[in-house]
Amino acid sequence: MKSRTGTKRVTMMDVAKAAGCSQATVSVVLNNVTDIKISPELRSRVLDAARSLGYGLASPIRRAGLEDLRGSCIGFVVDQLATTPEAVNAIEGARHASWENDVTILVAQTQGRAEHERKAVARLLQAGAQGIVYMSVFTRRVSLDPALQDLPVPLVLLNCYTGDDRFPSVVPDEVTGGCLATASLIKKGHRRIGTIVGESFMEAAQDRLAGYREALAQAGIPYDGRLVVEGNWTPTSGFEATRKLLALAEPPTAIFCQNDKMAMGCFNAIGEAGLSIPADLSVVGYDDDELARHLRPQLTTLELPHRPMGAWAIEQLAKKPRPGRHRVHKVGCTLIERASTTRRKPE
């Protein structure tokens, strides 16, 4: 979508920045979702920002092209539904983007098994699906089964991509997310910042660490490998990694945890050491898991953009894309500032 001047593609992130809120809030407002409470003042602010930027001209903002899918259904194929909230959030974003046009989302879970994928796609096509969204819970490059490569309907990849870029695909901008998390601590005066990374074979862990290093480099802070400790996304690994960081001769004054579950373990280790958050250490998480709002103090974290990613996938299907060269579309994460960070104490 272009602005009224026609010079710049206006995105949901642009609206979020202008309104001073998250992308998820913008999605809720612009899709006229009524079962999520948004204050009248914030709703008005989002709509004003959208109008001023040219992102739609009415409330709710209507998505051009979806009328072609009216009364049809779309297949949503995902490897896992129950293990994490990402798939549910993406499906919800897809629903928000399509419900006004009477588009039904049919969901199939395959557990990543090729035979299940083939059967799911065949049955979705039999049910009349006019497009397929293929999602991986973990961000990664995928090798698609031949049954998915030559479909009679458009295919869009969500949270994954192929090596040949044949299909439109969307993933979170994890490098920028890791950079944003780390930069938020640098802006508060922290220069010795530890990070607890996820399993190193995963792209999300690699990219978030790359963002951490990028933020340090931009601030002229030397990278110190002793401040990087590997976890495995669990609270226990966050607890153990934090103990290692606190045992250093020069412990960090802030810790960036690559997910909120490890941040929960980090909180416990800091408390066990007789220290407090954020007076003694600032902590930033990642994911904006529900637990982030239940920790005390509440956790500053990065919100993964799976809802807007789901909406983007539906918009792409409406365009009826053909196989060809498609650049991977990256959606930014939003920093959610809460009470677990503060300015560094002067020495």
Side-chain angles (χ1 to χ4, degrees):
M1 180 178 299
K2 289 187 177 182
S3 67
R4 293 173 184 172
T5 62
T7 60
K8 179 180 181 293
R9 178 181 173 84
V10 179
T11 67
M12 196 174 289
M13 174 65 84
D14 296 324
V15 178
K17 287 181 179 178
C21 64
S22 69
Q23 281 180 284
T25 298
V26 172
S27 178
V28 167
V29 172
L30 298 189
N31 287 290
N32 201 30
V33 179
T34 59
D35 55 349
I36 298 178
K37 292 184 178 179
I38 300 290
S39 71
E41 184 275 332
L42 179 54
R43 185 178 295 275
S44 176
R45 198 164 75 233
V46 170
L47 291 172
D48 287 347
R51 290 191 182 96
S52 66
L53 292 173
Y55 192 88
L57 301 176
S59 173
I61 306 302
R62 300 187 180 276
R63 300 177 185 275
L66 290 184
E67 293 83 359
D68 293 341
L69 296 174
R70 181 176 294 279
S72 67
C73 63
I74 288 172
F76 205 105
V77 179
V78 60
D79 49 9
Q80 290 289 340
L81 276 172
T83 54
T84 65
E86 282 81 6
V88 174
N89 288 337
I91 293 167
E92 190 67 1
R95 183 186 71 83
H96 289 167
S98 58
W99 72 275
E100 283 189 327
N101 289 282
D102 191 28
V103 177
T104 300
I105 308 293
L106 303 179
V107 182
Q109 177 180 258
T110 65
Q111 297 180 326
R113 298 179 182 177
E115 65 272 21
H116 291 179
E117 292 177 354
R118 289 192 290 271
K119 289 179 181 179
V121 169
R123 289 169 183 170
L124 289 169
L125 293 175
Q126 288 173 2
Q130 297 300 301
I132 302 290
V133 177
Y134 179 90
M135 177 179 181
S136 169
V137 169
F138 299 113
T139 307
R140 60 190 175 93
R141 186 170 73 177
V142 295
S143 296
L144 295 177
D145 187 88
L148 283 160
Q149 296 190 38
D150 296 300
L151 295 173
V153 298
L155 173 70
V156 173
L157 307 182
L158 200 161
N159 209 39
C160 57
Y161 59 95
T162 57
D164 58 8
D165 297 328
R166 283 190 65 203
F167 304 98
S169 57
V170 59
V171 299
D173 189 346
E174 302 280 23
V175 175
T176 301
C179 184
L180 183 60
T182 309
S184 72
L185 294 168
I186 294 172
K187 289 177 182 177
K188 293 183 183 295
H190 297 278
R191 293 187 63 82
R192 191 158 179 80
I193 301 169
T195 186
I196 303 173
V197 302
E199 294 162 296
S200 58
F201 70 90
M202 295 183 65
E203 287 191 21
Q206 297 166 11
D207 288 348
R208 292 173 194 180
L209 179 60
Y212 164 83
R213 298 190 67 156
E214 183 178 308
L216 295 180
Q218 289 176 356
I221 300 173
Y223 174 79
D224 185 345
R226 293 170 298 179
L227 292 173
V228 179
V229 183
E230 185 171 335
N232 61 9
W233 310 111
T234 65
T236 298
S237 70
F239 178 87
E240 294 171 349
T242 302
R243 292 185 68 181
K244 291 178 182 178
L245 289 170
L246 295 179
L248 293 173
E250 292 183 73
T253 63
I255 300 176
F256 163 38
C257 301
Q258 283 199 2
N259 78 338
D260 293 342
K261 289 183 174 64
M262 291 194 296
M264 181 171 70
C266 176
F267 269 49
N268 292 337
I270 291 171
E272 185 180 86
L275 302 172
S276 64
I277 302 169
D280 297 308
L281 282 102
S282 288
V283 179
V284 172
Y286 206 109
D287 289 350
D288 196 29
D289 194 296
E290 178 65 24
L291 68 86
R293 289 174 285 281
H294 295 285
L295 292 172
R296 291 296 179 270
Q298 291 188 337
L299 179 65
T300 294
T301 186
L302 272 291
E303 179 184 55
L304 280 169
H306 284 89
R307 287 177 186 254
M309 286 165 57
W312 184 90
I314 298 300
E315 291 175 350
Q316 296 307 300
L317 288 179
K319 296 177 181 178
K320 297 181 174 58
R322 297 176 179 272
R325 295 290 294 181
H326 296 273
R327 186 178 65 179
V328 177
H329 181 69
K330 295 186 177 182
V331 180
C333 301
T334 303
L335 179 70
I336 309 296
E337 291 204 78
R338 298 194 178 99
S340 65
T341 60
T342 191
R343 293 200 63 81
R344 179 189 176 193
K345 291 180 179 178
E347 297 181 354

